[in-house]
Amino acid sequence: MTRTKNRKPLFDTVRALLGRGFKQSEVVRIDRALDCAEGDANACDVQPVTRVSVPIVKSADSVRRIGERGIALIKRFEGCARLRTDGLIEAYPDPGTGSEPWTIGWGATGKGLDGNARIGPGTVWTQEECDERLEKDLVRYAAGVSRAIGDAPTTQGQFDAMISFHYNTGAIGRATLTRKHKAGDFEGAAREFARWNKAGGRVLKGLVRRRAAEAKLYAS
């Protein structure tokens, strides 16, 4: 009697690692390769499979960068506010607390351009300085997300959404969202965005909208 081969667990595992499904032609080739490995000489004429490029971040050691949709989302919600009549951009207080953390440009907080003095009342930058700071910060936050998710299969949309989340909250390392993503519970992770909608203990409409946009990008 011929034994029925159950290869579904193998295919399911590879799908999870790749973050995508298989084309029928790929299934046929993999099946034939497995038959060949198991001693079926008739199946050993398989041609090499051409590698298909997919937008998946798989290695914790690879360079990970935010995509255009992620940058657009961050710029949309951060804005580059407080443009003065002299063309300079000044810092403003947190809308939830009315004080710290002070923000300038595209949502920059913390240390100023010199790396020492903190951003606060009276801090002013040029538009070019705001743009340069955003570029540097996005590299830093992308590295933070990469460390947090490790080698978990991650699409570009998921990665971008988590960078926006981390850029705004700084919480990628401790959020349940991250734990669920690493476990492969993508639907559960997408629902976690909505929980982070408060500043100063109050629900803010802007944060509600941002979390919804991030969740949509994550699920795209």
PDB file of all heavy atoms in Angstrom, residues 165 175-181 185-197 211 215:
ATOM      1  N   PHE A 165       4.652  53.796  15.169  1.00  0.00           N
ATOM      2  CA  PHE A 165       4.209  53.585  16.549  1.00  0.00           C
ATOM      3  C   PHE A 165       5.341  53.891  17.534  1.00  0.00           C
ATOM      4  O   PHE A 165       5.156  54.606  18.524  1.00  0.00           O
ATOM      5  CB  PHE A 165       3.735  52.138  16.705  1.00  0.00           C
ATOM      6  CG  PHE A 165       3.475  51.720  18.121  1.00  0.00           C
ATOM      7  CD1 PHE A 165       2.287  52.031  18.753  1.00  0.00           C
ATOM      8  CD2 PHE A 165       4.430  50.997  18.828  1.00  0.00           C
ATOM      9  CE1 PHE A 165       2.046  51.649  20.066  1.00  0.00           C
ATOM     10  CE2 PHE A 165       4.204  50.600  20.135  1.00  0.00           C
ATOM     11  CZ  PHE A 165       3.011  50.936  20.761  1.00  0.00           C
ATOM     12  N   ALA A 175       5.708  46.825  24.427  1.00  0.00           N
ATOM     13  CA  ALA A 175       4.303  46.751  24.024  1.00  0.00           C
ATOM     14  C   ALA A 175       3.864  45.306  23.762  1.00  0.00           C
ATOM     15  O   ALA A 175       4.619  44.506  23.199  1.00  0.00           O
ATOM     16  CB  ALA A 175       4.060  47.598  22.771  1.00  0.00           C
ATOM     17  N   THR A 176       2.636  44.994  24.148  1.00  0.00           N
ATOM     18  CA  THR A 176       2.050  43.691  23.836  1.00  0.00           C
ATOM     19  C   THR A 176       1.961  43.501  22.327  1.00  0.00           C
ATOM     20  O   THR A 176       2.036  42.376  21.823  1.00  0.00           O
ATOM     21  CB  THR A 176       0.637  43.581  24.462  1.00  0.00           C
ATOM     22  OG1 THR A 176       0.740  43.778  25.867  1.00  0.00           O
ATOM     23  CG2 THR A 176       0.010  42.231  24.193  1.00  0.00           C
ATOM     24  N   LEU A 177       1.819  44.600  21.616  1.00  0.00           N
ATOM     25  CA  LEU A 177       1.805  44.582  20.157  1.00  0.00           C
ATOM     26  C   LEU A 177       3.021  43.822  19.623  1.00  0.00           C
ATOM     27  O   LEU A 177       2.900  42.966  18.734  1.00  0.00           O
ATOM     28  CB  LEU A 177       1.818  46.029  19.640  1.00  0.00           C
ATOM     29  CG  LEU A 177       1.710  46.325  18.147  1.00  0.00           C
ATOM     30  CD1 LEU A 177       1.301  47.782  17.958  1.00  0.00           C
ATOM     31  CD2 LEU A 177       3.019  46.093  17.420  1.00  0.00           C
ATOM     32  N   THR A 178       4.194  44.111  20.171  1.00  0.00           N
ATOM     33  CA  THR A 178       5.428  43.481  19.716  1.00  0.00           C
ATOM     34  C   THR A 178       5.420  41.993  20.028  1.00  0.00           C
ATOM     35  O   THR A 178       5.813  41.159  19.197  1.00  0.00           O
ATOM     36  CB  THR A 178       6.641  44.144  20.383  1.00  0.00           C
ATOM     37  OG1 THR A 178       6.575  45.557  20.165  1.00  0.00           O
ATOM     38  CG2 THR A 178       7.939  43.606  19.813  1.00  0.00           C
ATOM     39  N   ARG A 179       4.985  41.642  21.219  1.00  0.00           N
ATOM     40  CA  ARG A 179       4.939  40.229  21.607  1.00  0.00           C
ATOM     41  C   ARG A 179       4.021  39.440  20.682  1.00  0.00           C
ATOM     42  O   ARG A 179       4.361  38.319  20.266  1.00  0.00           O
ATOM     43  CB  ARG A 179       4.478  40.108  23.055  1.00  0.00           C
ATOM     44  CG  ARG A 179       4.336  38.672  23.544  1.00  0.00           C
ATOM     45  CD  ARG A 179       4.044  38.611  25.035  1.00  0.00           C
ATOM     46  NE  ARG A 179       2.833  39.329  25.390  1.00  0.00           N
ATOM     47  CZ  ARG A 179       1.599  38.848  25.227  1.00  0.00           C
ATOM     48  NH1 ARG A 179       1.433  37.646  24.676  1.00  0.00           N
ATOM     49  NH2 ARG A 179       0.553  39.549  25.587  1.00  0.00           N
ATOM     50  N   LYS A 180       2.867  39.999  20.366  1.00  0.00           N
ATOM     51  CA  LYS A 180       1.930  39.291  19.489  1.00  0.00           C
ATOM     52  C   LYS A 180       2.480  39.186  18.073  1.00  0.00           C
ATOM     53  O   LYS A 180       2.300  38.163  17.402  1.00  0.00           O
ATOM     54  CB  LYS A 180       0.576  40.002  19.503  1.00  0.00           C
ATOM     55  CG  LYS A 180      -0.164  39.858  20.825  1.00  0.00           C
ATOM     56  CD  LYS A 180      -1.597  40.364  20.749  1.00  0.00           C
ATOM     57  CE  LYS A 180      -2.331  40.085  22.051  1.00  0.00           C
ATOM     58  NZ  LYS A 180      -3.747  40.489  22.002  1.00  0.00           N
ATOM     59  N   HIS A 181       3.160  40.235  17.614  1.00  0.00           N
ATOM     60  CA  HIS A 181       3.758  40.174  16.274  1.00  0.00           C
ATOM     61  C   HIS A 181       4.789  39.057  16.198  1.00  0.00           C
ATOM     62  O   HIS A 181       4.806  38.273  15.250  1.00  0.00           O
ATOM     63  CB  HIS A 181       4.400  41.517  15.930  1.00  0.00           C
ATOM     64  CG  HIS A 181       5.125  41.493  14.619  1.00  0.00           C
ATOM     65  ND1 HIS A 181       4.483  41.664  13.412  1.00  0.00           N
ATOM     66  CD2 HIS A 181       6.442  41.286  14.322  1.00  0.00           C
ATOM     67  CE1 HIS A 181       5.366  41.564  12.427  1.00  0.00           C
ATOM     68  NE2 HIS A 181       6.563  41.333  12.960  1.00  0.00           N
ATOM     69  N   ASP A 185       0.820  36.385  15.687  1.00  0.00           N
ATOM     70  CA  ASP A 185      -0.586  36.763  15.859  1.00  0.00           C
ATOM     71  C   ASP A 185      -0.773  38.172  15.278  1.00  0.00           C
ATOM     72  O   ASP A 185      -0.887  39.152  16.005  1.00  0.00           O
ATOM     73  CB  ASP A 185      -0.959  36.743  17.339  1.00  0.00           C
ATOM     74  CG  ASP A 185      -2.428  37.106  17.580  1.00  0.00           C
ATOM     75  OD1 ASP A 185      -3.186  37.224  16.589  1.00  0.00           O
ATOM     76  OD2 ASP A 185      -2.808  37.290  18.752  1.00  0.00           O
ATOM     77  N   PHE A 186      -0.796  38.266  13.958  1.00  0.00           N
ATOM     78  CA  PHE A 186      -0.828  39.565  13.302  1.00  0.00           C
ATOM     79  C   PHE A 186      -2.158  40.291  13.499  1.00  0.00           C
ATOM     80  O   PHE A 186      -2.192  41.514  13.619  1.00  0.00           O
ATOM     81  CB  PHE A 186      -0.513  39.405  11.811  1.00  0.00           C
ATOM     82  CG  PHE A 186       0.837  38.783  11.548  1.00  0.00           C
ATOM     83  CD1 PHE A 186       1.008  37.846  10.543  1.00  0.00           C
ATOM     84  CD2 PHE A 186       1.935  39.120  12.321  1.00  0.00           C
ATOM     85  CE1 PHE A 186       2.246  37.269  10.306  1.00  0.00           C
ATOM     86  CE2 PHE A 186       3.184  38.554  12.100  1.00  0.00           C
ATOM     87  CZ  PHE A 186       3.332  37.625  11.086  1.00  0.00           C
ATOM     88  N   GLU A 187      -3.255  39.541  13.530  1.00  0.00           N
ATOM     89  CA  GLU A 187      -4.551  40.173  13.777  1.00  0.00           C
ATOM     90  C   GLU A 187      -4.591  40.754  15.188  1.00  0.00           C
ATOM     91  O   GLU A 187      -5.084  41.863  15.402  1.00  0.00           O
ATOM     92  CB  GLU A 187      -5.677  39.168  13.574  1.00  0.00           C
ATOM     93  CG  GLU A 187      -5.877  38.737  12.125  1.00  0.00           C
ATOM     94  CD  GLU A 187      -7.070  37.822  11.959  1.00  0.00           C
ATOM     95  OE1 GLU A 187      -7.764  37.555  12.968  1.00  0.00           O
ATOM     96  OE2 GLU A 187      -7.327  37.380  10.825  1.00  0.00           O
ATOM     97  N   GLY A 188      -4.077  40.008  16.147  1.00  0.00           N
ATOM     98  CA  GLY A 188      -4.030  40.505  17.522  1.00  0.00           C
ATOM     99  C   GLY A 188      -3.125  41.704  17.650  1.00  0.00           C
ATOM    100  O   GLY A 188      -3.445  42.666  18.365  1.00  0.00           O
ATOM    101  N   ALA A 189      -1.986  41.681  16.951  1.00  0.00           N
ATOM    102  CA  ALA A 189      -1.060  42.814  16.992  1.00  0.00           C
ATOM    103  C   ALA A 189      -1.707  44.061  16.404  1.00  0.00           C
ATOM    104  O   ALA A 189      -1.556  45.168  16.942  1.00  0.00           O
ATOM    105  CB  ALA A 189       0.219  42.467  16.231  1.00  0.00           C
ATOM    106  N   ALA A 190      -2.437  43.899  15.316  1.00  0.00           N
ATOM    107  CA  ALA A 190      -3.095  45.048  14.683  1.00  0.00           C
ATOM    108  C   ALA A 190      -4.103  45.698  15.628  1.00  0.00           C
ATOM    109  O   ALA A 190      -4.249  46.926  15.648  1.00  0.00           O
ATOM    110  CB  ALA A 190      -3.790  44.608  13.391  1.00  0.00           C
ATOM    111  N   ARG A 191      -4.774  44.882  16.441  1.00  0.00           N
ATOM    112  CA  ARG A 191      -5.754  45.429  17.384  1.00  0.00           C
ATOM    113  C   ARG A 191      -5.084  46.197  18.528  1.00  0.00           C
ATOM    114  O   ARG A 191      -5.714  47.065  19.149  1.00  0.00           O
ATOM    115  CB  ARG A 191      -6.627  44.306  17.953  1.00  0.00           C
ATOM    116  CG  ARG A 191      -7.599  43.707  16.939  1.00  0.00           C
ATOM    117  CD  ARG A 191      -8.628  42.832  17.637  1.00  0.00           C
ATOM    118  NE  ARG A 191      -8.011  41.661  18.252  1.00  0.00           N
ATOM    119  CZ  ARG A 191      -7.861  40.485  17.650  1.00  0.00           C
ATOM    120  NH1 ARG A 191      -8.273  40.326  16.400  1.00  0.00           N
ATOM    121  NH2 ARG A 191      -7.302  39.465  18.286  1.00  0.00           N
ATOM    122  N   GLU A 192      -3.822  45.890  18.811  1.00  0.00           N
ATOM    123  CA  GLU A 192      -3.123  46.522  19.921  1.00  0.00           C
ATOM    124  C   GLU A 192      -2.844  48.002  19.688  1.00  0.00           C
ATOM    125  O   GLU A 192      -2.696  48.763  20.640  1.00  0.00           O
ATOM    126  CB  GLU A 192      -1.801  45.795  20.193  1.00  0.00           C
ATOM    127  CG  GLU A 192      -1.956  44.451  20.870  1.00  0.00           C
ATOM    128  CD  GLU A 192      -2.523  44.590  22.274  1.00  0.00           C
ATOM    129  OE1 GLU A 192      -2.033  45.436  23.041  1.00  0.00           O
ATOM    130  OE2 GLU A 192      -3.470  43.856  22.592  1.00  0.00           O
ATOM    131  N   PHE A 193      -2.752  48.419  18.431  1.00  0.00           N
ATOM    132  CA  PHE A 193      -2.452  49.828  18.156  1.00  0.00           C
ATOM    133  C   PHE A 193      -3.458  50.749  18.841  1.00  0.00           C
ATOM    134  O   PHE A 193      -3.091  51.783  19.399  1.00  0.00           O
ATOM    135  CB  PHE A 193      -2.466  50.096  16.640  1.00  0.00           C
ATOM    136  CG  PHE A 193      -1.250  49.594  15.909  1.00  0.00           C
ATOM    137  CD1 PHE A 193      -1.243  48.337  15.319  1.00  0.00           C
ATOM    138  CD2 PHE A 193      -0.113  50.380  15.803  1.00  0.00           C
ATOM    139  CE1 PHE A 193      -0.124  47.872  14.642  1.00  0.00           C
ATOM    140  CE2 PHE A 193       1.015  49.930  15.123  1.00  0.00           C
ATOM    141  CZ  PHE A 193       1.001  48.662  14.543  1.00  0.00           C
ATOM    142  N   ALA A 194      -4.727  50.380  18.784  1.00  0.00           N
ATOM    143  CA  ALA A 194      -5.794  51.252  19.293  1.00  0.00           C
ATOM    144  C   ALA A 194      -5.677  51.524  20.789  1.00  0.00           C
ATOM    145  O   ALA A 194      -6.223  52.522  21.282  1.00  0.00           O
ATOM    146  CB  ALA A 194      -7.153  50.621  18.989  1.00  0.00           C
ATOM    147  N   ARG A 195      -4.973  50.689  21.523  1.00  0.00           N
ATOM    148  CA  ARG A 195      -4.860  50.878  22.967  1.00  0.00           C
ATOM    149  C   ARG A 195      -3.990  52.087  23.326  1.00  0.00           C
ATOM    150  O   ARG A 195      -4.115  52.629  24.420  1.00  0.00           O
ATOM    151  CB  ARG A 195      -4.275  49.619  23.607  1.00  0.00           C
ATOM    152  CG  ARG A 195      -5.135  48.382  23.479  1.00  0.00           C
ATOM    153  CD  ARG A 195      -4.473  47.185  24.127  1.00  0.00           C
ATOM    154  NE  ARG A 195      -4.188  47.448  25.544  1.00  0.00           N
ATOM    155  CZ  ARG A 195      -3.423  46.664  26.300  1.00  0.00           C
ATOM    156  NH1 ARG A 195      -2.866  45.596  25.775  1.00  0.00           N
ATOM    157  NH2 ARG A 195      -3.213  46.962  27.567  1.00  0.00           N
ATOM    158  N   TRP A 196      -3.134  52.486  22.415  1.00  0.00           N
ATOM    159  CA  TRP A 196      -2.184  53.558  22.689  1.00  0.00           C
ATOM    160  C   TRP A 196      -2.733  54.891  22.163  1.00  0.00           C
ATOM    161  O   TRP A 196      -2.206  55.480  21.222  1.00  0.00           O
ATOM    162  CB  TRP A 196      -0.834  53.235  22.060  1.00  0.00           C
ATOM    163  CG  TRP A 196      -0.200  52.032  22.679  1.00  0.00           C
ATOM    164  CD1 TRP A 196      -0.506  50.725  22.426  1.00  0.00           C
ATOM    165  CD2 TRP A 196       0.826  52.023  23.660  1.00  0.00           C
ATOM    166  NE1 TRP A 196       0.268  49.889  23.192  1.00  0.00           N
ATOM    167  CE2 TRP A 196       1.115  50.659  23.962  1.00  0.00           C
ATOM    168  CE3 TRP A 196       1.555  53.028  24.318  1.00  0.00           C
ATOM    169  CZ2 TRP A 196       2.081  50.292  24.886  1.00  0.00           C
ATOM    170  CZ3 TRP A 196       2.520  52.649  25.232  1.00  0.00           C
ATOM    171  CH2 TRP A 196       2.772  51.303  25.513  1.00  0.00           C
ATOM    172  N   ASN A 197      -3.801  55.351  22.781  1.00  0.00           N
ATOM    173  CA  ASN A 197      -4.496  56.542  22.279  1.00  0.00           C
ATOM    174  C   ASN A 197      -4.543  57.688  23.289  1.00  0.00           C
ATOM    175  O   ASN A 197      -5.342  58.612  23.132  1.00  0.00           O
ATOM    176  CB  ASN A 197      -5.921  56.177  21.861  1.00  0.00           C
ATOM    177  CG  ASN A 197      -6.743  55.623  23.023  1.00  0.00           C
ATOM    178  OD1 ASN A 197      -6.282  55.564  24.162  1.00  0.00           O
ATOM    179  ND2 ASN A 197      -7.974  55.214  22.725  1.00  0.00           N
ATOM    180  N   ARG A 211      -3.360  55.874  15.412  1.00  0.00           N
ATOM    181  CA  ARG A 211      -3.313  54.439  15.669  1.00  0.00           C
ATOM    182  C   ARG A 211      -4.126  53.667  14.628  1.00  0.00           C
ATOM    183  O   ARG A 211      -3.739  52.574  14.214  1.00  0.00           O
ATOM    184  CB  ARG A 211      -3.838  54.143  17.078  1.00  0.00           C
ATOM    185  CG  ARG A 211      -3.053  54.738  18.210  1.00  0.00           C
ATOM    186  CD  ARG A 211      -1.701  54.068  18.408  1.00  0.00           C
ATOM    187  NE  ARG A 211      -0.616  54.764  17.720  1.00  0.00           N
ATOM    188  CZ  ARG A 211       0.078  55.767  18.248  1.00  0.00           C
ATOM    189  NH1 ARG A 211      -0.206  56.205  19.453  1.00  0.00           N
ATOM    190  NH2 ARG A 211       1.074  56.304  17.567  1.00  0.00           N
ATOM    191  N   ALA A 215      -2.557  50.849  12.214  1.00  0.00           N
ATOM    192  CA  ALA A 215      -3.127  49.500  12.161  1.00  0.00           C
ATOM    193  C   ALA A 215      -3.475  49.119  10.721  1.00  0.00           C
ATOM    194  O   ALA A 215      -3.270  47.975  10.299  1.00  0.00           O
ATOM    195  CB  ALA A 215      -4.357  49.410  13.048  1.00  0.00           C
TER     196      ALA A 215
END
